[in-house]
Amino acid sequence: QVRLVESGGGSMQSGGSLRLSCAASGSILSIGTMGWYRQAPGKQRELVADITSGGTTQYADSVKGRSAISRDNAKNTVDLEMNSLKPEDTAVYYCNADIRSNIGLRTWYYYWGQGTQVTVSS
């Protein structure tokens, strides 16, 4: 089965930095866009950043200029660096990837990690 496993979450202080990592594994044929989403308490999940298989990126306005998303296609990983952390960055961060696998019809499907908690204190 395809799995996405996140790491790097935890408790940070305002102004600090973090690096989140996500590794995809399993019966993977190919991976398209990979990204990071987050969901704060009482709010809907939102896109933080994503990156296509070719390296094209997009960022939420709230993190532009202080975040960088990257991927390693050979390792099936995607990382998110965030600097100048703010309390409003507190959320559960989820890794997402559009993956074609050997499961079912072998079609493309969006997979999600279980999430990693990021807490930023003031």
Side-chain angles (χ1 to χ4, degrees):
Q1 294 183 347
V2 175
R3 294 182 179 182
L4 299 179
V5 180
E6 304 105 330
S7 62
S11 298
M12 293 84 177
Q13 294 184 343
S14 295
S17 302
L18 65 79
R19 184 182 183 91
L20 302 178
S21 297
C22 173
S25 63
S27 302
I28 298 172
L29 297 177
S30 59
I31 302 178
T33 299
M34 305 182 78
W36 286 92
Y37 290 71
R38 67 185 181 187
Q39 187 167 20
K43 297 184 178 180
Q44 294 187 338
R45 190 171 300 183
E46 65 176 355
L47 173 69
V48 179
D50 63 17
I51 180 170
T52 68
S53 60
T56 301
T57 62
Q58 67 174 342
Y59 298 88
D61 290 339
S62 59
V63 303
K64 286 182 179 178
R66 61 187 183 95
S67 298
I69 188 169
S70 61
R71 65 188 290 167
D72 187 331
N73 292 329
K75 297 181 178 180
N76 292 334
T77 60
V78 60
D79 292 354
L80 177 68
E81 295 182 13
M82 295 185 66
N83 305 308
S84 301
L85 292 172
K86 310 175 187 298
E88 51 263 41
D89 292 322
T90 296
V92 176
Y93 285 71
Y94 297 90
C95 179
N96 172 267
D98 193 12
I99 299 175
R100 184 170 184 260
S101 71
N102 278 317
I103 302 174
L105 299 176
R106 300 176 182 177
T107 189
W108 292 90
Y109 183 81
Y110 278 98
Y111 290 85
W112 294 90
Q114 292 187 346
T116 182
Q117 177 70 50
V118 173
T119 302
V120 182
S121 60
S122 59

